[in-house]
Structures are given as structure tokens and as C-alpha cells.
Amino acid sequence: MEREQVARAMQRFQRRRADRPDLKRSAVGITLVPEPEGVTFLLTRRATTLRGHAGQWALPGGRADEGESAGETARRELAEELGLELGADAELGLLDDYATRSGYVITPVVLWAGTGPALTPNPDEVGELYRVPLSEIDVEPRFITIPESDAPVIQQPLFDRFVHAPTGAVLHQFREVVLHGRPTRVAHYEQPVFAWR
């Protein structure tokens, strides 16, 4: 998969914004890195010392500063977490907003990092860093029900485990939109109860 293919898929996609002024704005980056065997994306396990969502799978990202665009937030957080500085020309588009139970609206930003970026994970924020081949997320998710919600909980298979929403939902939508050209929506999928705080 080439940068132009991803850019075209993102241009065709009509994203949906979440009109939730009661929630804090945030953004995550789906940061694409071409490797000899194919394109990968950057995924982290959050440091176990963090106050919120410690040890969970996460795309680099965080809360927006005043006046920042989603792309600016995602790129700043990528620099803070992984030491990777990208310009605005790295932004290929936005997926649907996802409102979380913990009080945020997440805007996923698709970024193209180019070949061989130097990465320096910040140990205060990042416990582990993975370069995940896109083929690893080109699988069907699992859906389960929980007594606390009428909405299905999405579970994205990865590394013989499951990545839950919001990250699992964002990765599933990226797979659908970019790898298959399907405008699949994911904002209605539920998070597991452990992620509600």
C-alpha cells in the first residue's frame, strides 16, 4: 500500500463529527510507516505508572490544547510520546469522532511517517512500542454483550489478544475505510467497563 492509495481512500471518506461540547477534545494518530515487507502502524502499551488507562493498548495521542486542530494535537502527542516530529504534510485525513465513556471526543488522524523514522519512546508515557503490519488488523472483529449497555462491545483481534474500543474501534474503521473502501461506522460500539473511568 502506497501513500497515494491511503490519501485517496481518506479523500473519499465522509467523516462524521461528534457534536459533544460537554466532552474534552482529543486526537490520536494512526501513524503509517512503510517497511520492506509492507506498511505498518505505530501502536503502544501505555506505561503502567500512568494515572489513567495504565497498561492499555493505545495509538499515540492525547488531549487537545486550546486552539489546536486534531492534526496538530496528534502530531504534538506523537512527538511527546515517541520523539517523532511530523509536519502538516504528513496528515492524510480524519476518521469519525469517537466519544468515550471517560469524557473525551477522540478524532483519529491518519498520518504518513515515511520510511525509517527515528523513534524514541518516552518511558513516562510509553511502556512498549510496536510496529504492526496492516495485515494484522485485516481481520473480522469480535462483538460481545455486557449487562451494563445495550450496545455491542467491539474487540479487535491482535497479538492473540483483543484490543477494545476506543483503539479497537478506530483500528476497525481504518481497516474498513482504507483497506477495503467501505464507509463503516464505529461510534456506536461500546467500550468494556474497565475503560469507562
Side-chain angles (χ1 to χ4, degrees), residues 5-19:
Q5 291 174 279
V6 179
R8 282 197 301 273
M10 294 304 300
Q11 286 164 4
R12 288 192 298 269
F13 179 64
Q14 298 294 311
R15 87 177 205 96
R16 290 184 181 169
R17 297 172 54 96
D19 184 20

Side-chain angles (χ1 to χ4, degrees), residues 124-142:
D124 293 335
E125 298 192 45
V126 178
E128 298 172 77
L129 170 64
Y130 300 87
R131 295 183 189 222
V132 184
L134 293 184
S135 59
E136 290 285 322
I137 59 167
D138 194 12
V139 294
E140 292 302 316
R142 184 171 81 170

Side-chain angles (χ1 to χ4, degrees), residues 62-80:
R63 186 171 177 174
D65 286 345
E66 189 66 36
E68 273 187 332
S69 69
E72 288 167 340
T73 299
R75 290 187 288 111
R76 174 180 53 76
E77 289 285 342
L78 187 63
E80 291 174 7

Side-chain angles (χ1 to χ4, degrees), residues 66-123:
E66 189 66 36
E68 273 187 332
S69 69
E72 288 167 340
T73 299
R75 290 187 288 111
R76 174 180 53 76
E77 289 285 342
L78 187 63
E80 291 174 7
E81 292 182 29
L82 300 180
L84 178 56
E85 305 264 359
L86 296 178
D89 60 337
E91 297 175 26
L92 302 184
L94 307 176
L95 293 173
D96 288 348
D97 288 345
Y98 185 94
T100 74
R101 291 279 192 166
S102 57
Y104 290 87
V105 169
I106 298 173
T107 301
V109 183
V110 179
L111 301 164
W112 189 267
T115 307
L119 303 173
T120 311
N122 178 348

Side-chain angles (χ1 to χ4, degrees), residues 110-189:
V110 179
L111 301 164
W112 189 267
T115 307
L119 303 173
T120 311
N122 178 348
D124 293 335
E125 298 192 45
V126 178
E128 298 172 77
L129 170 64
Y130 300 87
R131 295 183 189 222
V132 184
L134 293 184
S135 59
E136 290 285 322
I137 59 167
D138 194 12
V139 294
E140 292 302 316
R142 184 171 81 170
F143 299 98
I144 63 170
T145 58
I146 57 174
E148 295 85 356
S149 175
D150 292 333
V153 174
I154 185 170
Q155 298 181 323
Q156 177 69 41
L158 190 64
F159 303 139
D160 296 321
R161 302 177 195 176
F162 292 99
V163 179
H164 299 88
T167 301
V170 169
L171 292 177
H172 177 59
Q173 186 172 55
F174 175 85
R175 175 236 188 181
E176 291 290 285
V177 169
V178 174
L179 302 187
H180 296 285
R182 298 187 287 244
T184 302
R185 305 300 174 180
V186 299
H188 61 288
Y189 291 137

